[in-house]
Each structure stands twice: as structure tokens, then as C-alpha cells.
């Protein structure tokens, strides 16, 4: 059967005799005659070119490097650290991988089309266990429940938090799994025993390694096979079609929530009213297409969590590379009481606590209808409504993430005369900081969105800032009369990241440690982006100098950072009493990996903290990609790029 490619120019359509041309065309050089013409490809269904659940229509522009100068330097490539092959004979598509949010529980879960979930160790990349029997169709999405707490070293007598995994399947059900504690610890050996010949230690002595609060993830399948390793705790039913995405709310929310999205165009919100007992509290049905993704706003740590001195990897101690941050149980930022902390957590010195900034109980969802919707319980009584719609994409929104990193590099402190001024500026900047949303789409773009405050909201934030100024410092902001605010929110495009992908962009993730963004798609490419201050042009320097400012200064901001330079004048009508300035940002591609899974599409990509013994620095992040061929691949950043964050 022939495939027709329609060229968006005066060049006539070209019939192709084989579909293989389409599968491998991205690896070929395009003819110079087509240099300015994006391709629109209509593939007849039934050829097996794409999974049945995805659209058969593609817009295929030329690769970004086409027509570029041969002397232009390409971004550095990623390094393949490990390939995790699924167990069993025969390849089965892997949909998504998710690392456990607690670095002391170095696990990676991967949902597969064979109805199972593989759980891997991030210590040695071995297969820890396989969860099966809970679903009748493909496991499309997985998510760990984050119990929060601290990253400080726990004592051997401190109670471990449970390990809970959620799974969403094409069978329209959501499963909640709990790792059986008895089998959980019996399955692992002490790290010291491995070094001393592998002799097994008694079970009560093998709960933790002697030099770390981590579980040693070496698989040991001895024991009673009749004891289930994963307890199928809860089965959530209700949606009428395939589950596409699930996500647990962050632990500092007032209640334990779970969001799910489905092909039936709905978003469901569940609340855990009792341990392992979930109830539906909202069904949101305003999308007009299947809902591909959901994400909770979790905020970011003040200072991005870097509040304590980090030890060197070579030092001998009790942390095994963990940063001693004290208690990281977040405050609820005025939205209600946080979750209960243990007495050990409360004994941590207050100066070591890490605040969570910008967090609020709001959910974002992306859909086949090309929109992102934002949902919030406006009365805090279960009345969830849509409070915002982002309609800037021109294709299916496959994935979205909230910002989890505060980009302090954009803060301009050049006009601060002393430490007091700098402290005030930083605190006011943190008080104004609001997380943005990043999304990816069938329109081949990765876009950043920011919330634009109304005048009433700006006045309220300034009034709140007046009461939360640092001890001994007076805020420069003057409170005013606060008018009633509407529940609706206005979101605008903040930036479109550099064009890299030539097919649909399926997944995106925002690093909470470095602020870098990673994306992947149907073209098999993994791209890493970074936001940095843009250098001021000579014209801008002259304008700033004429206005009495320093060269390179940006106008005062209104509490919504990171505006593209081309839009800075349009959106920066900030009050004159704001005590800080921000540099205009610039996004750039800092690493690129083509054909990362050979000829196969990449369904998902995410950041994960590296926990193996060969990690280069404490807190090093790696990239986890999940492919159509079933493999999970682990990638590391170039040395030069990593060194900038060390």
C-alpha cells in the first residue's frame, strides 16, 4: 500500500512504495529542495506504524539543525549508564517508569504492556520484584506515594514508612499496592555481609545497612514463596475507560489525595479517609477529549533544599551520600495544617528545617482536546471546579509537570548594597515565587506557562509579605485595601523551548535539584534544556543606562519570574516598590541524545537521584527513559554540565 506525503508548499505530493521510509526517515538527510517545507503525513490505519491509542496524523518539520552552519557546535550527548531489560521471553512495550521520591528507598517501578510492574533497584540496577496478577490489561501508569518526613539519617529503631505504589491500567482500574514488610526486609542482605563473602545476617539485623538508612536492594528470593511480596491493598473502580495517568498529592497537603485521568475524558480525585480506604470526592468532566496526564502542585524547597554542609563521598559516615537536611516535612503555606510528624522529626533544630514555597492544593490536567485545565477546591469543602484553562497548544497535551526548583540565578542582586539588602531581596523574591507549568504536545513543542496575578491578588501577596518579612528587617512594601478575588486564574505562555523534536513529544520532567528540563518523544530523541540569564543586548544596556539603571538590569518584576526577553516589556508592569529585579531568562539545549532507544519511540522520561556506588557527586541526577521495545535505559549528564551544579 502506498503512503502519500503532502508537502506544505507548491511541491506536489510524493507517493512512497513502502512504509519503512517513514519509520527511518528521521535518520536520513532531507533533500535541500524541501528545506523550508514541513511535512504532513497521513498514515492509513492498520499499517502498524503507531500504537492504536495514538493519532495517525503527524506534522513532521525539518530537524532543527537543517540549514544550520556546519561550524555550529552541537550539544553534548548523554552517556548510557545501564539498560534494564524486562524479564521473560519476548519484548513487551514499557509505558512509564517512576523513581521512589525518598532517596533512602532507591526503587524504580516500570509499568508494562504485559500487565505487570517491574521494580528495580537503583543501587545496583537489579530486578527486585515483579508485580503481576492485579490487572487484566496493560499497566499504563505508575506512581509512588510520598510520605514526606526527613532525609536525615534514621536510627535503627525508628519505624520505616510504608512503601506504597499506585498502578493505572487499560482495564479502567487503579490498584494500590503495599510492600509486605516481612518479605520486604527478608528479601535483602546487609551491605556489609556482601563485602564479607555474602553470608546472610539474621532478619532483624538486616533491616538497614550499617552505614546508611537505605535498604540494601540486593535481591534474595529465599523465604516462603506463599507470602505475597506485594499486598494488593485497594482496587479503585469508576472510570469507564483506560486509565492514562495517576498521581498522589504531596505529603504536605492537608489531606491524602490521589488524582487519576482516563480516556473517558474525566479526572477523578480520591481521598484516603482511613488507611487503605479511598473515597471519590470529585469527578471532573469538562475536558472534551481523553485526559492524558495529571499533576499536583507541590512547590519547591526554600534554597532548593541546600541548607546544610554536604560531605564528600570519600568520607566515612552514616549517610551514604545523603544530604543532612534535617526535617523536610513541609509547612502547608496557609492552606491548613500539615501532616503529623513524629517526635523525632520535631526534635530537629528549627534552623535545619526546609520550607516548601509555592505549594497549594491545585491540580493540572492535559488532554487530547489540546488544553490544560486547572482544578481547585475553592470552598475547601469538596467543591472542585475548573479555575483556569490553558489553550496555547495546537495538538494533544501528552504530559505536564509543575516547577519544583527555584531559579535563583535569575535574581539580580547587583543593586543590593549590603547583606541586609540582599537578604530582603531574596526573601521577597521567595515570597513572590510561584511554580510554573511545563507541557509537551503533538504540536512538537515544549512550553512553559506562568500564572498572571490580578491586581487584587498582587495586593494580597504584598500585604502577606509585610507580615512575613525576615526578623529585624522591615519590608519595603506598603499594604493596601484587599478587594475580593475571583477563583479563576489567568495563565499565559512564559516561553517556548528551543525546537528539537520532529515527532510528538510524549513526556517532560522538571528537575527539582538543577531546574533542568528533559523531554522525549516519538522521534527517539532525549533533549535536556536549561534556563539561564540572557545576556543583555547593547541596546538594552543603553536604555537601562538612560533610565538610571545599571547595564544589564531588567525592569522590576511583579512576582512572576522568568519572562522571555521579547515579552519582558509587555509583562513587567511591576510596582515601583518591589525590592528586587530579575534577569530576563533564556532557554537553551544543553544535552541531546538521538535514537536513544534505537529505532523505537520513547514513551516516558524522568529525573531520578543516582544511588549506585559509582555516582560522581552527592545528589547527582540521572535520566530514566522508557521505550516501546520494553527496555528502561539510564543516562548520565556530561561531566562539564554536571560540574556546574556540584
Amino acid at each position: 500500500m502506498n503512503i502519500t506525503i503532502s508537502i506544505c508548499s507548491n511541491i506536489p505530493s510524493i507517493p512512497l512504495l513502502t512504509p519503512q521510509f517513514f519509520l527511518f526517515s528521521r535518520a536520513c538527510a532531507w533533500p535541500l529542495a524541501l528545506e523550508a517545507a514541513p511535512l504532513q503525513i497521513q498514515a492509513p490505519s492498520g499499517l502498524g506504524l503507531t500504537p492504536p491509542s495514538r493519532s495517525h496524523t503527524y506534522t513532521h518539520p525539518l530537524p532543527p539543525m537543517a540549514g544550520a552552519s556546519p561550524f555550529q557546535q552541537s550539544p553534548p550527548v548523554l552517556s548510557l549508564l545501564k539498560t534494564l531489560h524486562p524479564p521473560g521471553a519476548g519484548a513487551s512495550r514499557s509505558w512509564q517508569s517512576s523513581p521512589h521520591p525518598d532517596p533512602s528507598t532507591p526503587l524504580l517501578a516500570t509499568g508494562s504492556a504485559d500487565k505487570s510492574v517491574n521494580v528495580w533497584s537503583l543501587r545496583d540496577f537489579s530486578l527486585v520484584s515483579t508485580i503481576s496478577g492485579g490487572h487484566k490489561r496493560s499497566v499504563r501508569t505508575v506512581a509512588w506515594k510520598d510520605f514526606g518526613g526527613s532525609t536525615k539519617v534514621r536510627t535503627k529503631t525508628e519505624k520505616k514508612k510504608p512503601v506504597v505504589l499506585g498502578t493505572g491500567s487499560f482495564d479502567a482500574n487503579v490498584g494500590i499496592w503495599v510492600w509486605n514488610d516481612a518479605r520486604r526486609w527478608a528479601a535483602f542482605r546487609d551491605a556489609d555481609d556482601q563485602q564479607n563473602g555474602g553470608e546472610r545476617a539474621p532478619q532483624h539485623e538486616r533491616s538497614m545497612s550499617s552505614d546508611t538508612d537505605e535498604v540494601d536492594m540486593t535481591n534474595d528470593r529465599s523465604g516462603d514463596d506463599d507470602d505475597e511480596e506485594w499486598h494488593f491493598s485497594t482496587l479503585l473502580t469508576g472510570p469507564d475507560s483506560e486509565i492514562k495517568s495517576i498521581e498522589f498529592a504531596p505529603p504536605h497537603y492537608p489531606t491524602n489525595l490521589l488524582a487519576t485521568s482516563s480516556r473517558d475524558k474525566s479526572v477523578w480525585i480520591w481521598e484516603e479517609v482511613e488507611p487503605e480506604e479511598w473515597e471519590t470526592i470529585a469527578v471532573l468532566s469538562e475536558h472534551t477529549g481523553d485526559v492524558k496526564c495529571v499533576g499536583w502542585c507541590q512547590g519547591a524547597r526554600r534554597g532548593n533544599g541546600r541548607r546544610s554542609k554536604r560531605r564528600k563521598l570519600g568520607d566515612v559516615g552514616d549517610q551514604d551520600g545523603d544530604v543532612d537536611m534535617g526535617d523536610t516535612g513541609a509547612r502547608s503555606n496557609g492552606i491548613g495544617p500539615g501532616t503529623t510528624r513524629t517526635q523525632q522529626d520535631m526534635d530537629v533544630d528549627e534552623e535545619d528545617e526546609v520550607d516548601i514555597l509555592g505549594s497549594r492544593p491545585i491540580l493540572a490536567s492535559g488532554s487530547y482536546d489540546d488544553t490544560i485545565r486547572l482544578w481547585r477546591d475553592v470552598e475547601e469543602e469538596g467543591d472542585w471546579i475548573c479555575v483556569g484553562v490553558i489553550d496555547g497548544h495546537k495538538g494533544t497535551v501528552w504530559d505536564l509537570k509543575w516547577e519544583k526548583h527555584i531559579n535563583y540565578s535569575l535574581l539580580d542582586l547587583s543593586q543590593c548594597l549590603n547583606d541586609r539588602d540582599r537578604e530582603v531581596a531574596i526573601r521577597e523574591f521567595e515570597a513572590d515565587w510561584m511554580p510554573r507549568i511545563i507541557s509537551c504536545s503533538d504540536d512538537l513543542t515544549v512550553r512553559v506557562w506562568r500564572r498572571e496575578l490580578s491586581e487584587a491578588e498582587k495586593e494580597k501577596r504584598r500585604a502577606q509579605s509585610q507580615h512575613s518579612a525576615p526578623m529585624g528587617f522591615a519590608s519595603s512594601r506598603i499594604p493596601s485595601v484587599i478587594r475580593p478575588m475571583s477563583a479563576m486564574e489567568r495563565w499565559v505562555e512564559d516561553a517556548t523551548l528551543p525546537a528539537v523534536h520532529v515527532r510528538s513529544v510524549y513526556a517532560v520532567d522538571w528537575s527539582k535539584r538543577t531546574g533542568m528540563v528533559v523531554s522525549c518523544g516519538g522521534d527517539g530523541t532525549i533533549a535536556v534544556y536549561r534556563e539561564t540569564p540572557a545576556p543583555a543586548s547593547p541596546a538594552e544596556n543603553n536604555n537601562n543606562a538612560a533610565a538610571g539603571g545599571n547595564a544589564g538590569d531588567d525592569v522590576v518584576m511583579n512576582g512572576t519570574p522568568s519572562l522571555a526577553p521579547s515579552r519582558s516589556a509587555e509583562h513587567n508592569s511591576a510596582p515601583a516598590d518591589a525590592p528586587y529585579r530579575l534577569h530576563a531568562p533564556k532557554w537553551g539545549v544543553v544535552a541531546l541524545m538521538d535514537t536513544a532507544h534505537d529505532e523505537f519511540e520513547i514513551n516516558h522520561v524522568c529525573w531520578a537521584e543516582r544511588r549506585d556506588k559509582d555516582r560522581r557527586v552527592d545528589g547527582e541526577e540521572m535520566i530514566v527513559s522508557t521505550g516501546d521495545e520494553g527496555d528502561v535505559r539510564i543516562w548520565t549528564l556530561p561531566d562539564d554540565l554536571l560540574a556546574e551544579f556540584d
Side-chain angles (χ1 to χ4, degrees):
M1 182 180 296
N2 294 349
I3 299 177
T4 300
I5 299 180
S6 300
I7 309 298
C8 298
S9 65
N10 294 326
I11 304 175
S13 298
I14 304 173
L16 300 177
L17 298 179
T18 61
Q20 283 77 10
F21 176 86
F22 169 72
L23 291 176
F24 298 101
S25 61
R26 61 182 171 85
C28 303
W30 297 101
L32 292 179
L34 307 182
E35 203 168 73
L39 308 179
Q40 291 183 340
I41 303 176
Q42 182 71 33
S45 60
L47 290 180
L49 296 181
T50 59
S53 60
R54 292 176 181 159
S55 171
H56 294 294
T57 303
Y58 303 91
T59 300
H60 200 325
L62 292 176
M65 299 303 293
S69 167
F71 301 104
Q72 182 174 342
Q73 185 176 5
S74 298
V77 298
L78 303 173
S79 299
L80 180 62
L81 177 64
K82 190 72 176 180
T83 298
L84 308 180
H85 301 288
S92 179
R93 174 185 292 125
S94 292
W95 282 108
Q96 178 190 351
S97 295
S98 176
H100 195 283
D102 186 351
S104 67
T105 307
L107 296 173
L108 180 75
T110 300
S112 303
D114 63 3
K115 313 172 192 177
S116 71
V117 177
N118 294 315
V119 181
W120 308 88
S121 165
L122 293 181
R123 289 287 301 277
D124 59 10
F125 305 112
S126 63
L127 180 65
V128 174
S129 59
T130 297
I131 305 173
S132 59
H135 291 289
K136 298 178 181 179
R137 294 182 62 191
S138 299
V139 178
R140 176 63 179 85
T141 177
V142 292
W144 299 97
K145 184 177 180 182
D146 186 359
F147 287 88
S150 66
T151 56
K152 64 183 177 65
V153 175
R154 290 188 286 260
T155 66
K156 292 190 177 183
T157 59
E158 184 177 355
K159 184 179 179 181
K160 290 273 187 177
K161 296 179 176 66
V163 176
V164 177
L165 179 68
T167 57
S169 169
F170 283 176
D171 63 11
N173 296 328
V174 174
I176 308 294
W177 305 79
V178 181
W179 203 0
N180 186 311
D181 276 347
R183 286 292 306 275
R184 171 184 178 186
W185 304 121
F188 306 122
R189 297 175 181 151
D190 191 300
D192 288 344
D193 291 338
Q194 294 182 44
Q195 298 175 2
N196 296 326
E199 182 180 353
R200 290 186 63 185
Q203 177 175 329
H204 69 279
E205 294 179 4
R206 287 185 283 111
S207 295
M208 289 178 292
S209 301
S210 61
D211 62 343
T212 177
D213 67 333
E214 289 184 1
V215 182
D216 177 24
M217 308 309 297
T218 303
N219 197 5
D220 177 4
R221 299 189 180 277
S222 62
D224 186 359
D225 291 336
D226 293 334
D227 293 338
E228 56 183 3
E229 188 170 352
W230 288 87
H231 167 54
F232 198 5
S233 166
T234 309
L235 180 68
L236 304 181
T237 62
D240 295 330
S241 189
E242 304 167 357
I243 301 297
K244 294 298 182 74
S245 177
I246 65 174
E247 184 167 316
F248 291 96
H252 48 270
Y253 274 24
T255 55
N256 293 326
L257 300 176
L258 171 68
T260 66
S261 67
S262 172
R263 193 178 181 184
D264 65 4
K265 309 175 187 178
S266 70
V267 174
W268 288 54
I269 299 179
W270 316 73
E271 180 181 351
E272 189 176 24
V273 293
E274 297 289 343
E276 302 186 22
E277 181 180 338
W278 295 82
E279 290 185 358
T280 307
I281 62 172
V283 178
L284 312 172
S285 304
E286 294 188 31
H287 278 295
T288 59
D290 58 323
V291 188
K292 303 293 186 182
C293 54
V294 288
W296 295 101
C297 174
Q298 68 181 64
R301 295 179 179 179
R302 186 188 302 277
N304 296 316
R306 300 181 183 182
R307 297 284 299 278
S308 299
K309 184 177 180 180
R310 295 164 57 187
R311 70 174 184 86
K312 295 181 180 179
L313 278 173
D315 294 345
V316 177
D318 294 333
Q319 300 181 41
D320 193 32
D322 286 332
V323 181
D324 184 7
M325 297 301 305
D327 177 56
T328 57
R331 300 174 183 174
S332 49
N333 292 311
I335 62 174
T339 54
T340 302
R341 297 188 295 165
T342 65
Q343 184 60 44
Q344 279 186 309
D345 289 338
M346 297 176 68
D347 288 341
V348 178
D349 292 338
E350 288 297 320
E351 64 183 16
D352 289 332
E353 287 196 358
V354 181
D355 295 336
I356 300 294
L357 304 177
S359 174
R360 57 196 181 109
I362 186 170
L363 180 73
S365 59
S367 171
Y368 184 78
D369 63 13
D370 305 349
T371 69
I372 298 170
R373 289 184 177 267
L374 295 113
W375 314 88
R376 187 160 57 85
D377 182 2
V378 293
E379 300 295 336
E380 297 186 1
E381 296 180 356
D383 185 18
W384 288 80
I385 65 171
C386 180
V387 296
V389 179
I390 302 173
D391 58 2
H393 278 296
K394 304 303 180 185
T396 300
V397 180
W398 284 101
D399 196 15
L400 61 82
K401 292 293 186 298
W402 290 84
E403 187 175 17
K404 297 169 287 188
H405 175 91
I406 304 174
N407 193 349
Y408 288 94
S409 71
L410 298 180
L411 183 58
D412 180 9
L413 300 176
S414 61
Q415 293 186 336
C416 296
L417 302 179
N418 49 48
D419 290 341
R420 175 189 175 280
D421 290 346
R422 283 188 287 272
E423 177 70 14
V424 170
I426 292 173
R427 288 301 182 184
E428 295 285 5
F429 167 67
E430 291 174 336
D432 282 345
W433 182 82
M434 293 186 297
R436 296 168 290 175
I437 294 174
I438 194 163
S439 59
C440 59
S441 169
D442 254 349
D443 64 11
L444 314 186
T445 66
V446 178
R447 301 176 189 241
V448 179
W449 314 91
R450 62 177 175 84
R451 183 184 176 193
E452 192 170 79
L453 297 178
S454 66
E455 289 302 320
E457 289 171 320
K458 294 175 186 177
E459 291 175 0
K460 180 178 179 179
R461 290 175 73 90
R462 287 196 294 273
Q464 290 174 337
S465 177
Q466 174 73 17
H467 298 289
S468 60
M471 185 68 67
F473 298 129
S475 173
S476 61
R477 304 193 180 191
I478 302 174
S480 58
V481 177
I482 301 174
R483 294 184 293 272
M485 292 180 295
S486 168
M488 297 302 294
E489 299 181 2
R490 182 169 183 260
W491 286 74
V492 297
E493 183 176 337
D494 191 58
T496 299
L497 274 57
V500 171
H501 294 283
V502 296
R503 289 188 65 186
S504 299
V505 190
Y506 289 146
V508 65
D509 196 18
W510 210 327
S511 167
K512 67 180 180 181
R513 180 177 182 268
T514 65
M516 289 191 291
V517 168
V518 62
S519 66
C520 71
D523 57 4
T525 296
I526 298 174
V528 181
Y529 316 81
R530 183 182 178 189
E531 183 184 37
T532 56
S537 66
E540 290 172 331
N541 287 338
N542 292 336
N543 291 338
N544 286 328
N550 295 331
D553 284 349
D554 293 318
V555 295
V556 180
M557 303 292 286
N558 62 357
T560 53
S562 191
L563 303 179
S566 61
R567 294 191 295 273
S568 59
E570 178 183 352
H571 292 305
N572 286 325
S573 54
D577 61 350
Y580 63 87
R581 295 173 180 269
L582 294 178
H583 297 292
K586 177 183 178 182
W587 286 92
V589 178
V590 293
L592 198 63
M593 195 69 201
D594 292 323
T595 61
H597 282 247
D598 304 321
E599 72 270 23
F600 296 96
E601 293 186 335
I602 303 176
N603 296 317
H604 188 260
V605 69
C606 64
W607 296 98
E609 182 171 339
R610 189 172 175 182
R611 302 303 300 163
D612 63 288
K613 61 182 178 60
D614 294 323
R615 60 188 182 275
R616 293 168 286 183
V617 296
D618 283 355
E620 177 184 354
E621 285 186 311
M622 57 191 183
I623 294 171
V624 180
S625 61
T626 308
D628 246 11
E629 83 283 16
D631 287 347
V632 176
R633 299 191 177 185
I634 312 295
W635 306 88
T636 58
L637 297 172
D639 290 338
D640 293 345
L641 183 59
L642 180 66
E644 297 184 32
F645 299 96
D646 183 20

